[in-house]
Amino acid sequence: MPAMLRNLAQRLGMMAHSFVGGIHPPQHKLSAGLKSELCPLAPLHIMPMKQHIGVACSPLVAVGDRVLRGQKIAKSEGYVSVPVHAPTSGRVVRIGDHAIPHPSGMGIPSIFIETDGDDAVDESLAPLADWRSMEPALLRERVRMCGLAGLGGAVFPTFIKLVQDARFPIETVILNGIECEPWLTSDHCLMLEYADEILAGLAIIMHMVKTDAAIIAIEDNKADAAAVLQQALEARDDLADVRVVVLPTRYPQGGEKQLIYTLTGREVPAGKLPMHIGVLCQNVGTTRALYQAVMQGRPLTERMVTVSGDAMPRPGNLLVRIGTPMRHVFAQRGLDVFEQVRLLHGGPMMGELLRHPDLPVVKSTNGMLAMREPTFMAAHQPEQPCIRCGHCSEACPAGLVPNLLADQCRSDQFERAESYNLFDCIECGACSYVCPSHIPLVHYFRYGKGQIAQQRREKHFAEESRGRSEAREMRIEQEKQARAARRSSVRAAHVGQSDDGSADAAGEEKKD
Amino acid sequence: MAGLLYALLSLGAFALLAGIILAIAQKVFHVEGDPMAEKIDALLPQTQCGQCGYPGCKPYAAAVAGHEADVNHCVPGGERTMLAIADLMGVEPKAVEQEAAAPMVAFIREDECIGCTLCIKACPVDAIVGAPKQYHAIIADHCTGCELCVEPCPVDCIDMLVKPELIEHWAWPLPETRRSRIGHERREQHAGHA
Amino acid sequence: MTEIVLIMLSAVLVNNFVLTKFLGICPFLGTSGKVETAIGMSFAVMFVMTLASAASWLIQEFVLVPLGLEYLQTIFFILIIAALVQFIEMMIHKTSPVLYQALGIFLPLITTNCAVLGVALLNVQQEQTFVTSALYGFGAAVGFALVLVLFSGLRERIEISPVPSLFKGSPLTLITAGMMSLAFMGFSGLVKI
């Protein structure tokens, strides 16, 4: 149905809301339904100082220190930041740069911890069993202290989302169990195995934002998870106003703005947050981590990771300590030769290509995929000319015109691209996926966004430099005037004493 | 004869009327200063380095606005700034004379610094702190890399270092495909052909 | 009323000055690089054209014909147009220096814009009344503005598209103009009386 008609029908209430565009890529959820397994401890853990969106942390430990599991080893250096905790007990052997899963392949300061095998836990954080009687601000501080960031992949510090603003009261909490990326099953696995913990976490979140209404959203390819959660929900009597909603599978249903629109019929305006329309969206993994932080006093040191891909001998869902080298994780599932294999961090749609497996698992690692070279190349064919078929516009969940935006980014017309709402692009990859000419549209958008950000930075720096330069000129001018004033007063005094003083003063002035 | 007179008189009268109206309009729409200079100044990188041959960014902007200087003299701004100015001025872009070097910051080797304050006086953006007979230091976040402090230093203790690249400032490159280059080279030709 | 609608339709679409009469081609090609510039130029031309056709009708009717000075038509009309252009030039310089820069030489060139003088002379030829000649001038200007803005939009799109290097720049601009003219030819026979 044409997008316009569908939109109209939705507005008139003739049709359930659902986001525009979207695609149906093959699911490939090989590891669905598999029981999670514990990944054995690696001999060395690498803890990057920045695993969230925001400001990097600075180390609190020195080389040679012994650390315990859950001990804070780096403190946040800004508001939009969360601390880093030791994943297991051991000794700090080095503090220095190490590559992280990032498209640049660059490294950032990291703490290297040699595992001692005891896995001794730091017990300094007490469980907060009576959270119901606690102030939300106190709970929020606990969430921050435990290093929680959105585990769906965006790793935005969780505590900031939980800040209450009297102007924007939260009406609905949305628990995001969509997991729309192909291959990935980590959230699915969590929902099957830890439904009770997730619901307990949800109850805490609802207490913190003072609302009774919540929606648990799950795609229909995970009907078993929906059933488990429904059952667990019925067993609790404190979550009466919580619904489990099963949505038809469509990518990118799990995008925050898309999911909110589908569930509530309300759009998050450009440049605004879900909070501004009274919605809070949390990933199921984050919610479980929040439960652990509050009820067990356990900082975020572990996460569920899907290890899959068509080059993976034994796909599965692993509970991996953060900081574990990926090579170690892959080896657990039988992959230790990386020739003719492409590694992806995250899902195939939004994940990034890794150059090598010697990178640590970080808080955003929801999946690690190993793809055979031919499969990968089939999805990344050479770019052909745009034939204006319009498939990309139909697939775009943000209602943009990708082919035009890509042309603008390619020819560096960034102002125009911005006026065509480049920054509303969520980089979901739906346009690149459907493009029959294999144009790497999202790559162009990333290029454009990066260039615009750089220009803004340069502009900002230029503005500041101008300010400093003008302040300096003003100061020099003032000093000059002050000097002249002083001199003329001296001269006046001088003239009063002798007659030849004026000649002296004139000579002095010339020198200046 | 009367025809000639009518022709002269009517044309003359009409020209006079038009002249009067325009003279009044000139009073009403009088333009103070040069608003273009400010707009150009906003595009310049404000390093105040003087590599354009003018004592700072503002004088160069004024010169460009007055058509006294070409659009391609800003070295740190590079091609992007040149294109922006050419676009604003509505003139043909010209090839930049000198490739913009990687962004630099000045660094003072403190053990060699004699505390003469000469560099402090030279810095156009007050990015050097220090007092007479004390070590001077550069506020790296404020340094524009203009190199104006290098020359005055009597003991040559100032180095220009390449600004370290931060992962936060890393930007995606253009996709490495044949077509992306076709689209992109157009702009470069555009910039280079003048 | 029908007459007014017909004059407007004719001036804007059927007998479009640029695409069917080939008048005012130089600003059409020269200021259509960017939509913003094109819009600015459109308003300048609308102002000059409407006032020029009204003023030239007045001069023709009350000065030239009574005094038998029809042979001075051209210089009088040019004088009116030149004065108007000078006026709008000052106004744009004051209100929008960027547009002033962007229009550059094309702004004073409105003076010798054949579309402007053309509409004044056509009005005399067709023996229009005051209202219809002002309307005709306005309609012609709207037609000019329409194609100028459309054309600049096309050119902006073409500029970011990878085109064969053979066609880059002026050739493709002229080909595009030709195609637009072809499209506007489709309006002939739009109105059947």
Side-chain angles (χ1 to χ4, degrees), chain A residues 425-460:
Chain A
C425 168
I426 56 168
E427 299 178 23
C428 67
C431 50
S432 307
Y433 178 82
V434 296
C435 182
S437 294
H438 308 290
I439 300 172
L441 292 149
V442 173
H443 196 152
Y444 283 114
F445 305 154
R446 286 173 173 160
Y447 165 75
K449 287 181 184 178
Q451 294 297 310
I452 292 172
Q454 199 174 330
Q455 281 178 12
R456 282 187 188 158
R457 253 194 325 270
E458 279 168 13
K459 184 132 187 111
H460 180 69

Side-chain angles (χ1 to χ4, degrees), chain C residues 47-57 77 80-81 84 116 119-120:
Chain C
F47 174 84
V48 173
M49 239 164 154
T50 313
L51 285 186
S53 49
S56 58
W57 186 88
F77 289 0
I80 295 168
I81 295 166
L84 284 170
V116 183
V119 80

Side-chain angles (χ1 to χ4, degrees), chain A residues 402-438:
Chain A
N403 63 334
L404 194 57
L405 275 173
D407 276 349
Q408 288 160 344
C409 290
R410 174 163 40 204
S411 49
D412 289 2
Q413 296 207 345
F414 301 125
E415 263 174 44
R416 202 157 290 272
E418 242 186 298
S419 73
Y420 279 75
N421 301 316
L422 175 62
F423 280 93
D424 284 352
C425 168
I426 56 168
E427 299 178 23
C428 67
C431 50
S432 307
Y433 178 82
V434 296
C435 182
S437 294
H438 308 290

Side-chain angles (χ1 to χ4, degrees), chain A residues 312-496:
Chain A
M312 186 61 68
R314 282 177 290 127
N317 303 301
L318 297 180
L319 271 169
V320 185
R321 297 290 166 88
I322 286 160
T324 307
M326 288 186 179
R327 191 183 283 277
H328 176 81
V329 183
F330 280 124
Q332 299 309 312
R333 311 306 294 182
L335 182 76
D336 34 27
V337 179
F338 295 96
E339 273 164 39
Q340 295 288 303
V341 169
R342 295 289 190 120
L343 303 176
L344 289 172
H345 180 250
M349 301 300 294
M350 294 189 70
E352 62 242 21
L353 187 65
L354 300 177
R355 295 161 201 225
H356 52 80
D358 296 312
L359 299 163
V361 167
V362 291
K363 290 177 183 174
S364 64
T365 311
N366 46 9
M368 290 157 51
L369 305 182
M371 294 294 182
R372 290 189 306 115
E373 187 84 29
T375 323
F376 182 83
M377 291 322 283
H380 293 82
Q381 289 177 28
E383 183 181 343
Q384 300 280 320
C386 174
I387 55 167
R388 322 248 154 200
C389 61
H391 287 182
C392 52
S393 309
E394 275 169 26
C396 181
L400 305 176
V401 196
N403 63 334
L404 194 57
L405 275 173
D407 276 349
Q408 288 160 344
C409 290
R410 174 163 40 204
S411 49
D412 289 2
Q413 296 207 345
F414 301 125
E415 263 174 44
R416 202 157 290 272
E418 242 186 298
S419 73
Y420 279 75
N421 301 316
L422 175 62
F423 280 93
D424 284 352
C425 168
I426 56 168
E427 299 178 23
C428 67
C431 50
S432 307
Y433 178 82
V434 296
C435 182
S437 294
H438 308 290
I439 300 172
L441 292 149
V442 173
H443 196 152
Y444 283 114
F445 305 154
R446 286 173 173 160
Y447 165 75
K449 287 181 184 178
Q451 294 297 310
I452 292 172
Q454 199 174 330
Q455 281 178 12
R456 282 187 188 158
R457 253 194 325 270
E458 279 168 13
K459 184 132 187 111
H460 180 69
F461 184 62
E463 289 300 319
E464 285 191 335
S465 300
R466 190 208 320 278
R468 283 192 273 271
S469 162
E470 279 169 3
R472 174 176 177 266
E473 269 158 28
M474 207 190 292
R475 193 188 65 227
I476 290 172
E477 188 57 35
Q478 277 171 2
E479 279 170 9
K480 210 190 240 167
Q481 278 172 10
R483 233 186 358 253
R486 209 166 45 233
R487 198 175 292 141
S488 65
S489 67
V490 167
R491 183 164 48 188
H494 211 70
V495 168

Side-chain angles (χ1 to χ4, degrees), chain A residues 104 383-385 410-412 443-444 446-447 451 455 457 459 461-462 465-466 468-470 472 475, chain B residues 41-42 46 58 80 121 123-126 141-144 169-170 172-174 177 179-180 184 187:
Chain A
S104 70
E383 183 181 343
Q384 300 280 320
R410 174 163 40 204
S411 49
D412 289 2
H443 196 152
Y444 283 114
R446 286 173 173 160
Y447 165 75
Q451 294 297 310
Q455 281 178 12
R457 253 194 325 270
K459 184 132 187 111
F461 184 62
S465 300
R466 190 208 320 278
R468 283 192 273 271
S469 162
E470 279 169 3
R472 174 176 177 266
R475 193 188 65 227
Chain B
D41 192 39
Q46 304 298 328
K58 209 171 227 166
R80 182 176 283 165
K121 287 187 188 120
C123 181
V125 289
D126 285 341
D141 286 349
H142 291 191
C143 177
T144 62
H169 293 178
W170 178 83
W172 280 84
L174 202 66
T177 65
R179 296 212 64 80
S180 73
H184 208 66
R187 263 189 95 79

Side-chain angles (χ1 to χ4, degrees), chain B residues 106-125:
Chain B
F107 173 75
I108 297 178
R109 294 193 300 274
E110 290 190 358
D111 42 349
E112 289 170 41
C113 174
I114 54 170
C116 66
T117 74
L118 286 176
C119 57
I120 297 179
K121 287 187 188 120
C123 181
V125 289

